[in-house]
Structure formats: C-alpha cells, structure tokens
Amino acid sequence: MDIVQLLLALVLILVAAELFTNSLEHLGDRLGLSEGVTGSIFAAVGTALPETMVPLVAVFASSSLASPKVGEEVGVGAILGAPMMLSTLTLFLMSIFAAAQRGWRGTLLPERTGLRRDLSWFLAAFSLATLALFIPHQEAVIRSAIAVLLVLFYFFYLLLTIRASAALVAHGHATEAEAALYLSRLGLPTMLLTIFLQLGLGLAGIIFGAELFVHGVEHLSAWLGVSALILSLLIVPVATELPEKVNSILWIRRKKDTLAFGNITGALVFQGSLLPAIGVSLTPWTPSPPVLLGAVLTLIAGSYTLLLVWRGVQLRPIYFLLNGLLYATYFAVLS
C-alpha cells in the first residue's frame, strides 16, 4: 500500500509541477520579469514550501512529543538536508536529463550574473550557519545575532535580485511563456486572475503530493528501522525536494536553462539562510558527525559550482557528475 501511495504522490507532483511552471512562465511574462526573478524567487520560494514545513512543524511541535529530541533531530536534519540535496543530487539529476537531450558535453546556458549572485549569497549564509554549529547553546546573544544576520542576508539578496531584473529583461532574459495557459484551454481567459488560480492549484497539488510522499516514506522507514536524524538528513529532503527537481527537469528539457538553474540556486539561498536562522534560534544546533559531514559536503558542492561559473567555464552536464558523487559519498557514509 505504501508503494501505491508513493507512486500516486509522484504522479500528482508531476502534474502539479507542470501546472505550476506553466503558470509561472505566464506570470513572469505578464509582469515583465526576468527569468532570474521568476526562477530564483517565485519558483524557488513556491516549491520550497513543502520542505520548509517539515522542519517548522518538527521544531515547533517538539515540546509536545514524547521525546522532544526526536523533533529537534528531524528539524535540524531537514534544515541542513535540503541544501545538501539541492547542491548535490538535484543538480546531478538535472544534468542527467540535460545529457539525455544534449549529450554529456552539450552546453548549458543559464544567465551567469544571477547564477553567480545566488551561489555567492548562499555560500556566505550557509557558511555562517555552519560556523554557528560550534557556538554553545548558552551563548544566546551570539546565536540570536547570527539568526538575525541570516534573515538580513535573504532580505538583501531579494533586493539585489529584483533590482537586476530590468537590466536582464533589456538584454533578452525576459520570462517568455511558450505554451498556452492550461486553464485557458478550458475556455477561461488568460488574465492575471486565471494565472494566479492555476498557480494556486499547482502549488496546492505540489504540497499535497509532497505530504503524501513524505508519509509513505516515513512508513517505509519505520519498517526499515531508520533513526530520526538519518531519516531527516537523507529521506525527508529527497521526498520534499521533488518539486524543485521536477520543475528544473521540465525547464531544462525545454532549454530554459536560466529558469532551471534559478529554481535550484534560488531555493539554496532561501533554505541556506531563513531556515538555518530558525535552527540556530530554536534548536541545539550542534555539530554531530552526520550534520557536520552534510554541511561540509554542501559547502564543497556549492563552492565547486560557483568556481565553474566564476571562472567562465562553459557549463556542461558532465561537470555535475562531481555533485552526484558527493551525494553518493554522503549516502554511503550515513547508510
């Protein structure tokens, strides 16, 4: 029964993601936004909601659990596990689908200034969150200051991304909707209200599908006897990161590389700043070996990807095999 639930959840997420990406393209087109804003902010934050809810619920509900430590472990693991998945497994999976269409040495052409900005802000914020692991929980003032800085990081990132939009549009990086809005095929007019309606339907389907998937995975993990921390570091992020994976795969196959990369790197900034701020403030946030390993590998993957972009290397799917190898190493060590 759990397998059937997982398959149904995957189908729902795929259909909802198609509705979501189609409506986002129309929204960005209608508002005259760059692909950077559409991908790095709208798509990234929208599809980050499912995995954002897992640590929030785990942290705030930990006091009501029979073992509060379990809630804290799930919260910390989900917060740190999500950037790990995005910087390693998600980029790797996207490269596989790109390679199937363009070859392993085919070219990937995302808009580079936005990609460099996303990765730079993510690494700065996540490095600070990693350093906070070594600050004792008793140092409440220092940890609170770090949490505030992490929130400010994301606020200034939003300002810079939105400010850059007009220039990117002028240079040919405007969001363009190629396919008709799906609701318009039912006879509804293509207007902002209809676009928002389809966007809401797609997002609701993604969240509901991700929730079904998480419950199915949790039942299987209980049967397998996996610990709460390992579950939250490995299994929950894989399940809840499905929206980003599917959206980026859909966009990369349509050769909308800026949207595909922005969906991932924008989510990295969101989940590398705002969610760790919650972890630093409300959980022990300590450097246990699984947590520290995940943080270090995430920083390596992010730094490697930024180095490729910064040096002006022509991005190719084969270069992201290293990201997949880093995830495989992490999985092998923890399992």
Side-chain angles (χ1 to χ4, degrees):
M1 187 62 186
D2 289 331
I3 300 297
V4 174
Q5 181 175 329
L6 290 175
L7 292 175
L8 288 175
L10 281 173
V11 171
L12 177 57
I13 289 172
L14 286 169
V15 173
E18 178 65 31
L19 287 174
F20 186 80
T21 55
N22 174 259
S23 55
L24 267 185
E25 290 173 13
H26 278 272
L27 180 61
D29 194 343
R30 180 62 63 93
L31 298 180
L33 299 175
S34 69
E35 289 185 322
V37 170
T38 303
S40 295
I41 297 180
F42 287 180
V45 174
T47 54
L49 288 178
E51 63 268 29
T52 301
M53 294 306 297
V54 173
L56 286 178
V57 170
V59 170
F60 287 110
S62 61
S63 59
S64 63
L65 297 175
S67 176
K69 184 180 178 181
V70 172
E72 292 172 351
E73 285 185 345
V74 172
V76 172
I79 289 171
L80 290 174
M84 173 69 190
M85 297 296 157
L86 287 167
S87 61
T88 57
L89 183 62
T90 304
L91 283 171
F92 171 65
L93 289 176
M94 185 182 69
S95 71
I96 289 177
F97 281 87
Q101 188 179 56
R102 313 178 199 184
W104 282 106
R105 295 194 174 276
T107 56
L108 300 171
L109 299 170
E111 194 281 312
R112 285 180 174 264
T113 61
L115 189 56
R116 186 165 57 242
R117 179 179 58 248
D118 287 3
L119 290 168
S120 298
W121 280 86
F122 161 68
L123 287 170
F126 197 75
S127 296
L128 183 60
T130 302
L131 287 175
L133 289 168
F134 299 94
I135 296 176
H137 196 255
Q138 294 77 14
E139 301 291 342
V141 174
I142 298 177
R143 290 169 71 100
S144 297
I146 289 175
V148 171
L149 277 175
L150 289 171
V151 173
L152 290 176
F153 263 67
Y154 192 70
F155 174 74
F156 285 114
Y157 159 78
L158 287 180
L159 290 181
L160 289 174
T161 303
I162 294 172
R163 182 179 297 176
S165 179
L168 290 173
V169 170
H171 285 85
H173 292 284
T175 304
E176 295 181 358
E178 296 177 355
L181 190 72
Y182 285 115
L183 287 184
S184 68
R185 300 177 187 182
L186 300 177
L188 296 176
T190 302
M191 51 192 292
L192 274 178
L193 181 61
T194 315
I195 293 171
F196 278 117
L197 176 59
Q198 182 175 307
L199 189 67
L201 290 172
L203 186 56
I206 286 172
I207 294 174
F208 183 65
E211 185 179 359
L212 280 178
F213 195 94
V214 169
H215 285 310
V217 170
E218 286 176 335
H219 293 156
L220 288 178
S221 66
W223 179 69
L224 294 172
V226 181
S227 72
L229 181 59
I230 301 302
L231 166 69
S232 58
L233 283 169
L234 283 180
I235 301 177
V236 172
V238 169
T240 56
E241 291 295 341
L242 280 172
E244 276 96 349
K245 294 180 183 70
V246 174
N247 287 344
S248 291
I249 287 168
L250 289 174
W251 272 321
I252 206 73
R253 289 185 61 80
R254 294 170 185 163
K255 298 187 177 181
K256 297 192 174 187
D257 297 359
T258 299
L259 288 171
F261 274 90
N263 185 43
I264 296 171
T265 58
L268 274 173
V269 183
F270 178 81
Q271 296 184 35
S273 54
L274 294 186
L275 291 188
I278 295 170
V280 172
S281 303
L282 301 177
T283 74
W285 202 252
T286 53
S288 65
V291 166
L292 191 56
L293 176 63
V296 170
L297 290 179
T298 300
L299 290 172
I300 292 173
S303 299
Y304 164 72
T305 307
L306 177 60
L307 183 62
L308 291 176
V309 178
W310 201 274
R311 294 185 60 185
V313 174
Q314 180 62 65
L315 297 180
R316 304 181 191 282
I318 195 171
Y319 295 153
F320 295 98
L321 291 176
L322 178 61
N323 299 69
L325 180 62
L326 289 172
Y327 176 75
T329 301
Y330 187 62
F331 188 89
V333 171
L334 289 194
S335 58

